């Protein structure tokens, strides 16, 4: 990720606004005339729908580096509101955030943009689609975030997946959920049944941070074995929910009674701390708010 282009542009815009021409005019024109002139120009521009270029307040867009080229951060929809209300924190327990802002607030997905997700079904157990749908529904309910099923994909679940991809159209790439095994992805070796996370990106104005993209890698053979055991479906779903909680910004906690413990235990549903943490990552302000 590179912010240098944005910083340069922001400085340039500020210099343009405080440049010489206005100061020069002030010496020859009555100050009252300038006020009237600016007001007139603003009114004319407003009528023509061209306000920003005339008064020079077009906000610069932050940029990120995608496969070596700079790409503008997808702009938030003007006046967008979150499709679902935030979830109040009503429980207490241990939780931690993977990414925090300067005052310790969580970095989360923009709650005003629906989070698209795609599934790479290769290697999935028979109940794979149901596991994913149920797990996404749990995270959506706990966070107040809106998820949209964007269908199936053939994208390889590489760790360094590009954040913007032509195959998915405009905007950030959707969250990718994919099945694999430790022969293809050695990071799934041993008892590791899944991995999950997302990328930190700047907001459209560059002042804030959000999560975008995201990947959940599920170990097909491990989860097939879990499914065959006692309480198999609930235990397998707990793995997928745990990884999706990483995607939306929760870190591990050392409390065995939470689903975000690094090693899954007897718990198969979200714990009190998990619920509090998920509510908080869903409460972040919208981009551009
Ligand atoms: Zn984990």
């Amino acid at each position: 990720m590179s912010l240098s282009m944005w910083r340069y542009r922001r400085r340039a815009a500020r210099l343009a606004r405080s440049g010489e021409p206005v100061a020069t005019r002030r010496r020859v024109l009555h100050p009252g005339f300038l006020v009237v002139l600016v007001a007139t120009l603003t009114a004319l521009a407003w009528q023509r729908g061209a306000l920003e270029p005339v008064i020079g307040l077009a906000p610069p867009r932050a940029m990120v580096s995608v496969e070596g080229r700079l790409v503008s951060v997808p702009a938030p929809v003007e006046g967008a509101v979150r499709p679902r209300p935030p979830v109040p924190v009503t429980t207490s327990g241990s939780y931690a955030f993977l990414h925090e802002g300067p005052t310790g607030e969580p970095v989360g997905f923009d709650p005003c943009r629906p989070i698209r997700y795609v599934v790479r079904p290769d290697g999935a157990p028979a109940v794979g689609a149901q596991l994913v749908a149920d797990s996404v529904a749990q995270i959506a309910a706990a966070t107040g975030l809106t998820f949209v099923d964007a269908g199936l994909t053939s994208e390889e679940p590489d760790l360094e997946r590009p954040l913007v991809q032509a195959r998915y159209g405009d905007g950030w790439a959707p969250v990718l959920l994919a099945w694999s095994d430790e022969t293809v992805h050695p990071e799934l070796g041993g008892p590791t049944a899944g991995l999950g996370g997302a990328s930190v990106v700047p907001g459209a104005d560059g002042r804030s941070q959000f999560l975008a993209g995201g990947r959940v890698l599920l170990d097909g053979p491990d989860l097939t074995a879990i499914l065959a055991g006692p309480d198999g479906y609930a235990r397998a779903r707990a793995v997928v929910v745990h990884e999706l909680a990483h995607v939306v910004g929760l870190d591990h906690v050392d409390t065995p009674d939470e689903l975000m413990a690094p090693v899954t235990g007897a718990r198969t549903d979200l714990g009190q701390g998990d619920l509090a943490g998920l509510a908080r990552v869903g409460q972040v302000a919208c981009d551009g708010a």
Side-chain angles (χ1 to χ4, degrees), residues 118-122 150-156 161 165 167-168 175-178:
V118 290
V119 175
R120 187 177 197 268
D122 312 44
L152 303 179
T153 185
S154 59
E155 182 190 347
E156 296 279 345
R161 65 187 295 253
Q165 299 185 36
R167 73 173 92 199
Y168 300 123
V175 177
L176 169 64
L177 294 106

Side-chain angles (χ1 to χ4, degrees), residues 194-196 242-243 246 252 260-262:
L195 295 164
H242 174 109
E243 303 310 335
H246 281 317
H252 289 148
M260 293 316 289

